[in-house]
Amino acid sequence: MEEARESLVRKTYSTTNPKFSRSISHAADELQSFRNCLWWMCLDQSDFWSASFSWSVFVLLALVVPAVSHFVLACSSCDSTHERPFDRVVQISLSGVASLSFLCLSRFGRKYGLRRFLFFDRLCHDSDTVRQGYTKKLDRSLKLLAIFVLPCFVAESAYKIWWYGSGASQIPFLGDVLLSDTVACAMELLSWLYRTTIFFLVCVLFHLICHLQILRLQDFAKFFEVDSDMGDVLYEHLKIRKHLRIISHRYRSFMLCTLIMVTGSQFASLLATTKAGAIVDVYGAGELALCSMTLVAGILILLRSATKITHKAQAVTCLAAKWNVCATLERFDATEGETPTAAMVADGAAESETETDEAGDEEDELDNSKIIHAYAYSTLSFQKRQALVSYFENNRAGITVYGFTLDRTTLHSIFGFELALVLWLLGKTVGIS
């Protein structure tokens, strides 16, 4: 019986089966370059020894090196250009978000696996357009990660090399001052690079997964351009809503904790820089400003990706309503012979096509002002179309965090709350009212 079961499994998931061939993970698949990137970042936890090494590197670079840098290597008796008065805020902020990111990556890899977490196991049910677009986006994601990490690392390298090269640290823990400073500078730079890369990696992965859902929504919009069955439209929308719930469930803790940590870090920075006697210049506060820009850039990637996919998902309601209106107008024209309405629809379609270039990237398959004549071929009755529109209106999809939808209204609320806290804190410290 066991042999028959193993034979059935091998037959079902064999590479000759086109339905499951993309669900199998192998060394030369689409994730090869991404796996290599994880290996070089010491984030590969595919087996026990790799996981042990990954955790050891994390403890060393995210916890031990920042602690030694702050308590041992920091020069409290140096002049104003070499002392680091805001080093505690910098180290705690970066280590906090790096620890959160590492724990989330470890949980994702252990519970879901790389292919399942990135939804590559479900691409076999999508169109070629979605698969090709998602694969290209995966390759560009590594470049996006480098775009965010490398400028920060170059600026931090320039600061650390200047700080150690000007003789701020004179602790010969290796018997020689020059060798000790070189090793200490290299370890601090590796720690900074490791922590910022892990944080940006989780943010870029969220951006990548949201882009997959946008591709699926754009492919879903094509259902309204042809005479589609109502059951197929409903099934595809339910599948997209399910994937959005899965993404929200996986990332909700990380997004909430990141927002709290970034907010706390920014307010700690504001308190430290506005207190009496604080010297704020490029030498003392440059590293703090770089840390703040890193954290804010990461949270902006998360919020922008979440609000964009929510906006696209909710735009389906407008698309369905426009489909219902156009189909109803064309049906009345066909049955009653009213030509003025058809002429107005044609004029509107021509005008919308001429204004496409002016609209730029704001219009796409989901949210646009185009009138497509294929709507006229819908054979669904008005009651069915209206029921489908009502379903979309009462079942809005999007990214949620513990029940709160991350849309533009939520962003405005977050901005207002943060601004109110900033003004309150400035009123307590420097007297702004």
Side-chain angles (χ1 to χ4, degrees):
M1 180 63 94
E2 253 343 282
E3 294 179 357
R5 180 184 177 186
E6 292 179 359
S7 177
L8 179 61
V9 171
R10 285 195 300 268
K11 181 179 179 181
T12 303
Y13 289 93
S14 63
T15 56
T16 59
N17 193 332
K19 186 175 181 180
F20 297 100
S21 59
R22 297 185 59 86
S23 301
I24 304 174
S25 180
H26 51 85
D29 58 5
E30 304 93 336
L31 298 175
Q32 180 182 7
S33 60
F34 193 78
R35 290 193 184 94
N36 295 334
C37 178
L38 292 180
W39 187 84
W40 283 104
M41 293 169 56
C42 303
L43 295 175
D44 181 22
Q45 299 185 7
S46 56
D47 52 45
F48 174 77
W49 296 110
S50 299
S52 301
F53 179 73
S54 177
W55 276 91
S56 301
V57 172
F58 164 73
V59 172
L60 175 64
L61 296 181
L63 301 177
V64 176
V65 173
V68 173
S69 173
H70 177 71
F71 292 106
V72 179
L73 300 179
C75 185
S76 58
S77 60
C78 294
D79 55 8
S80 59
T81 58
H82 288 89
E83 65 178 355
R84 298 186 291 184
F86 312 114
D87 185 68
R88 178 180 300 178
V89 177
V90 173
Q91 301 298 347
I92 292 178
S93 301
L94 287 179
S95 296
V97 295
S99 301
L100 176 63
S101 303
F102 182 83
L103 293 176
C104 289
L105 284 176
S106 301
R107 177 178 174 270
F108 294 154
R110 182 179 63 256
K111 187 174 182 180
Y112 307 109
L114 190 57
R115 292 189 64 86
R116 184 183 172 192
F117 173 69
L118 295 179
F119 292 94
F120 269 93
D121 60 326
R122 304 185 182 185
L123 283 181
C124 56
H125 304 290
D126 294 312
S127 63
D128 294 335
T129 304
V130 175
R131 289 196 294 264
Q132 294 174 3
Y134 189 50
T135 304
K136 292 179 181 179
K137 187 65 176 180
L138 175 65
D139 298 334
R140 291 196 298 266
S141 296
L142 298 179
K143 298 179 182 178
L144 181 63
L145 178 64
I147 290 174
F148 281 101
V149 172
L150 290 182
C152 298
F153 179 68
V154 170
E156 178 66 13
S157 299
Y159 173 77
K160 289 297 183 183
I161 292 174
W162 168 83
W163 195 83
Y164 279 97
S166 57
S169 177
Q170 299 290 336
I171 304 176
F173 57 88
L174 294 178
D176 182 74
V177 174
L178 180 60
L179 180 60
S180 301
D181 288 348
T182 303
V183 173
C185 180
M187 292 301 295
E188 285 204 63
L189 289 178
L190 284 177
S191 175
W192 180 282
L193 179 63
Y194 181 80
R195 288 179 291 175
T196 55
T197 303
I198 288 182
F199 176 58
F200 277 124
L201 177 62
V202 182
C203 299
V204 169
L205 288 180
F206 179 75
H207 173 73
L208 173 66
I209 296 174
C210 288
H211 182 75
L212 172 61
Q213 308 310 316
I214 292 177
L215 292 175
R216 285 173 171 169
L217 283 170
Q218 292 175 352
D219 198 54
F220 172 75
K222 297 179 181 178
F223 277 97
F224 297 98
E225 300 178 5
V226 296
D227 189 11
S228 304
D229 182 70
M230 185 176 177
D232 296 336
V233 176
L234 183 61
Y235 172 77
E236 289 298 327
H237 188 262
L238 289 174
K239 187 170 65 173
I240 293 174
R241 288 192 66 215
K242 178 182 178 182
H243 292 166
L244 291 177
R245 284 198 302 268
I246 292 174
I247 297 173
S248 301
H249 180 75
R250 291 177 182 178
Y251 264 92
R252 58 185 182 180
S253 299
F254 176 78
M255 296 184 68
L256 181 60
C257 293
T258 301
L259 182 61
I260 294 175
M261 286 185 177
V262 173
T263 302
S265 174
Q266 299 310 302
F267 282 108
S269 303
L270 190 60
L271 275 174
T273 54
T274 55
K275 69 178 182 180
I279 300 176
V280 181
D281 53 18
V282 69
Y283 300 103
E287 198 172 18
L288 178 63
L290 189 60
C291 172
S292 299
M293 288 188 293
T294 300
L295 299 183
V296 172
I299 194 65
L300 287 180
I301 293 175
L302 295 175
L303 294 178
R304 182 183 183 277
S305 301
T307 52
K308 186 175 181 180
I309 184 61
T310 301
H311 172 71
K312 298 293 183 183
Q314 294 180 355
V316 174
T317 304
C318 300
L319 182 63
K322 183 171 62 174
W323 163 72
N324 185 24
V325 170
C326 294
T328 304
L329 291 176
E330 294 289 349
R331 178 158 300 187
F332 270 106
D333 293 341
T335 55
E336 300 180 8
E338 298 179 358
T339 55
T341 305
M344 289 187 293
V345 171
D347 293 339
E351 184 180 355
S352 63
E353 290 176 359
T354 57
E355 295 179 353
T356 302
D357 296 335
E358 298 179 4
D361 297 332
E362 298 298 327
E363 291 196 350
D364 54 17
E365 290 82 353
L366 291 169
D367 190 7
N368 58 66
S369 57
K370 299 179 182 179
I371 298 178
I372 304 176
H373 295 287
Y375 290 148
Y377 300 107
S378 176
T379 58
L380 296 176
S381 63
F382 173 79
Q383 289 78 7
K384 290 183 178 180
R385 296 196 306 270
Q386 186 62 33
L388 191 61
V389 173
S390 300
Y391 163 78
F392 287 140
E393 290 176 347
N394 294 280
N395 293 272
R396 295 180 177 270
I399 300 297
T400 59
V401 176
Y402 295 102
F404 294 94
T405 304
L406 289 180
D407 52 8
R408 292 171 180 175
T409 304
T410 306
L411 280 188
H412 296 161
S413 302
I414 294 176
F415 176 77
F417 177 73
E418 300 279 350
L419 182 61
L421 288 179
V422 169
L423 294 178
W424 174 81
L425 186 58
L426 290 177
K428 295 296 183 179
T429 54
V430 297
I432 294 179
S433 59

